[in-house]
Amino acid sequence: MTRLALLSVSNKRGLIELARTLVEEFSFDLISSGGTAQALKDAGLPVTKVADYTGSPEILGGRVKTLHPRIHGGILARRDVTQDVTDLANNQIRPIDLVVVNLYPFEETIAKEGVTLSEAIEQIDIGGPAMLRASAKNFAHLTVLSDPAQYEEYLQELRQHGGEASLQFRQKCALSGFLHTSRYDQAIASYLTQQSATESTLPQQYTHSGTQLQSLRYGENPHQSAAWYQTGNSAEGWAGATKIQGKELSYNNLVDLEAARRIISEFTDSPAAAILKHTNPCGVALGSSLKEAYEKAVNADPVSAFGGIVALNRSIDADTATELTKLFLECVVAPGCEPEAQQILAAKSKVRVLTLPDLSSGAKETVKVIAGGFLVQTADDIVADTSKWQVVTERKPTEQELEELLFAWKVCKHVKSNAIVVSRDRATIGVGAGQMNRVGSVKIALEQAGEGAKGAFLASDGFFPFDDSVKTSAAAGITAIVQPGGSLRDQDSIEAANKLGLVMVLTGVRHFLH
């Protein structure tokens, strides 16, 4: 008996080539529905519409087409079970040897700006997932293809195995089918959850999935395996970045680049540069030009900048590119890169240079895996509002001083706790990160700032439990401090600041980063 293939696809890439080969080289009969059937007919290929094959017309505006015993019986029948074979014969059902199905573009639809709930709902496929699951379940007896990338491999299987696909290949395709429907269902569930969720609530069930973009050489260390996965179908975030030059990205590169993206996205009004090592900023600065901002960021800590990750909030111009080539760097990311700058950077061909047009687009939640589960929290994307800050000292900040404190506060948000940032002239001059006590972070930041601490500004990601850090800061020459407040001993720190002539501002918001 001539073999039967069912084709019903939303993504029609490679469809005609596959169908023509099935018919002309392997003598398949084709059945199809809707737009797929029309595409095959327009290509001059012999095809039977599903409605003609089942004897049941499409109804409900096409919502019901393939949900029929002649379709699912042909898919689910076990060829080695006598009763199944008898049932097929008694009901004039042909066994289906190949099912080619991919699903309505739900993720692409919800990615469009302004899409309504009803529009999204119409892109929830019903018949497609049913056929995919049925076919994948019965992979012992047929093949299911859910991705155009599988078509050529399937045809090679037929050529190499006398017109049959191997069991190993069929099982691999079945797994792909289940992964396809799982991801599809997750996208729907996530979307509907977002429609009813509030910023303060997280769903009772949380799922996370992705498609592997790239196998990485290793993880944080050579003995750890790693891979890079993309969530969703559209190339958003780093999946949408363009690598202009350089070596392959590593696991650590990507982790550092994401930390750099988060920092640089804080600054939009002026040219800005951030240099990071191990996800901590070693230099962040604003300037009248991108070149000036980068030079200030390097000068903040030139030793740590060596081998660093650079993020810029403006397209790389020739002057900035020239400066970038003067120091060994791992990665550079910016919204764009001018042609002349590309030519200059080519002299350092191993440096990874990426463009990411939308540096502000980040994840809405963060996920951390723990033993037996994982933790989810909403992203720390609150925007600092100085109008809500409280000046608690007798000495009040000038407008310029408040702007400097805001700069230091924005950077401090992205430093590992306990975090201290010392800045002046919109550039970091000292960073204390990840210490076990706040006093230690203060000492590190001030030591790094050196004589530059005189007249400088200090930000702390958490409150001061005692007044010792205030006294240490004042002794080094710090003129103003911004911190969340909230300690039982806030008044001690405030009194110390008053006695020493400092400005102290409380934000009412903390930014721990673990």
Side-chain angles (χ1 to χ4, degrees):
M1 181 183 294
T2 305
R3 286 174 294 178
L4 184 61
L6 168 61
L7 290 74
S8 179
V9 295
S10 174
N11 179 359
K12 294 179 175 56
R13 178 168 59 90
L15 170 69
I16 303 304
E17 295 82 355
L18 171 67
R20 181 168 284 115
T21 305
L22 291 175
V23 170
E24 297 178 357
E25 186 174 343
F26 297 103
S27 302
F28 272 84
D29 287 340
L30 307 181
I31 57 174
S32 188
S33 63
T36 306
Q38 189 61 51
L40 296 173
K41 183 179 178 181
D42 291 344
L45 291 166
V47 59
T48 301
K49 290 186 176 181
V50 165
D52 294 333
Y53 174 74
T54 62
S56 298
E58 294 183 9
I59 62 173
L60 308 182
R63 281 190 167 196
V64 178
K65 297 187 287 284
T66 57
L67 297 171
H68 193 280
R70 291 203 77 191
I71 297 298
H72 284 272
I75 292 173
L76 286 166
R78 295 159 291 185
R79 319 298 166 80
D80 55 356
V81 175
T82 302
Q83 186 60 54
D84 285 9
V85 175
T86 300
D87 285 344
L88 292 183
N90 289 342
N91 292 278
Q92 294 81 51
I93 298 173
R94 290 179 62 181
I96 296 174
D97 292 281
L98 173 66
V99 175
V100 183
V101 177
N102 53 62
L103 309 178
Y104 291 173
F106 181 82
E107 288 179 284
E108 291 87 342
T109 298
I110 62 175
K112 297 175 182 176
E113 188 174 349
V115 66
T116 64
L117 178 60
S118 61
E119 289 171 336
I121 294 296
E122 281 306 306
Q123 292 302 318
I124 296 177
D125 203 330
I126 302 300
M131 288 189 290
L132 269 179
R133 290 177 60 82
S135 305
K137 176 178 179 176
N138 204 30
F139 71 85
H141 301 283
L142 77 159
T143 305
V144 58
L145 305 178
S146 55
D147 186 338
Q150 299 170 318
Y151 297 172
E152 185 56 36
E153 188 177 0
Y154 172 70
L155 295 175
Q156 290 301 321
E157 281 279 318
L158 297 185
R159 293 174 182 130
Q160 293 170 10
H161 299 98
E164 300 289 340
S166 66
L167 179 62
Q168 182 181 13
F169 177 77
R170 297 199 304 269
Q171 184 170 348
K172 182 176 74 171
C173 290
L175 173 59
S176 296
F178 282 123
L179 289 172
H180 191 38
T181 57
S182 174
R183 174 175 166 179
Y184 194 76
D185 286 340
Q186 186 214 319
I188 295 167
S190 296
Y191 172 76
L192 294 177
T193 297
Q194 291 169 9
Q195 300 308 300
S196 57
T198 64
E199 291 185 2
S200 60
T201 63
L202 289 168
Q204 289 298 307
Q205 292 186 323
Y206 189 96
T207 56
H208 203 63
S209 69
T211 301
Q212 189 175 129
L213 275 181
Q214 183 180 331
S215 176
L216 303 174
R217 288 177 60 200
Y218 52 79
E220 287 183 289
N221 300 290
H223 61 274
Q224 295 172 269
S225 58
W228 177 10
Y229 292 83
Q230 171 187 330
T231 57
N233 280 334
S234 56
E236 297 179 346
W238 291 107
T242 299
K243 186 158 76 74
I244 294 174
Q245 68 169 55
K247 298 184 292 184
E248 287 297 314
L249 291 167
S250 71
Y251 178 95
N252 290 334
N253 290 156
L254 288 162
V255 171
D256 284 333
L257 281 166
E258 173 60 11
R261 183 202 63 76
R262 289 196 298 264
I263 292 180
I264 207 67
S265 66
E266 295 278 358
F267 304 103
T268 57
D269 295 337
S270 303
I275 307 173
L276 284 83
K277 290 288 282 292
H278 308 297
T279 73
N280 275 310
C282 52
V284 182
L286 307 183
S288 58
S289 68
L290 194 63
K291 174 176 177 285
E292 182 190 19
Y294 172 70
E295 288 175 326
K296 289 169 67 176
V298 171
N299 292 334
D301 186 353
V303 174
S304 298
F306 183 85
I309 305 291
V310 176
L312 307 167
N313 71 344
R314 300 285 192 274
S315 290
I316 306 171
D317 54 32
D319 288 343
T320 307
T322 300
E323 293 302 314
L324 289 166
T325 61
K326 294 179 180 179
L327 183 67
F328 168 66
L329 300 169
E330 285 284 348
C331 304
V332 179
V333 63
C337 186
E338 297 175 5
E340 187 178 354
Q342 290 187 35
Q343 293 178 0
I344 294 169
L345 289 168
K348 295 281 188 177
S349 60
K350 293 183 179 180
V351 180
R352 304 161 180 88
V353 180
L354 299 93
T355 57
L356 184 63
D358 186 5
L359 289 165
S360 64
S361 179
K364 295 179 181 178
E365 296 99 20
T366 61
V367 181
K368 289 192 176 183
V369 177
I370 61 173
F374 55 90
L375 308 175
V376 180
Q377 66 174 350
T378 56
D380 185 9
D381 54 8
I382 188 171
V383 178
D385 183 355
T386 56
S387 69
K388 296 180 180 179
W389 289 5
Q390 182 183 6
V391 180
V392 292
T393 48
E394 295 168 1
R395 187 181 151 212
K396 309 303 178 187
T398 65
E399 185 175 336
Q400 282 191 324
E401 288 175 327
L402 195 60
E403 288 179 359
E404 188 72 41
L405 287 170
L406 176 61
F407 169 82
W409 179 248
K410 285 183 175 181
V411 176
C412 194
K413 172 182 176 181
H414 300 279
V415 178
K416 292 293 180 70
S417 299
N418 288 305
I420 297 292
V421 168
V422 177
S423 77
R424 66 183 307 153
D425 190 27
R426 308 299 191 277
T428 59
I429 57 174
V431 178
Q435 297 307 298
M436 288 66 73
N437 62 76
R438 197 157 299 279
V439 175
S441 289
V442 170
K443 289 180 178 178
I444 290 172
L446 291 174
E447 181 180 349
Q448 190 180 81
E451 289 299 309
K454 294 178 181 178
F457 300 75
L458 184 145
S460 171
D461 68 338
F463 61 64
F464 294 124
F466 304 100
D467 63 4
D468 47 3
S469 291
V470 177
K471 293 176 179 178
T472 301
S473 299
I478 293 296
T479 188
I481 293 174
V482 59
Q483 54 121 333
S487 169
L488 294 174
R489 294 176 176 267
D490 272 352
Q491 195 56 42
D492 292 351
S493 294
I494 294 168
E495 289 177 2
N498 279 328
K499 183 177 179 180
L500 296 166
L502 274 64
V503 169
M504 181 173 285
V505 178
L506 305 184
T507 66
V509 176
R510 79 177 192 194
H511 287 299
F512 284 174
L513 179 62
H514 291 89

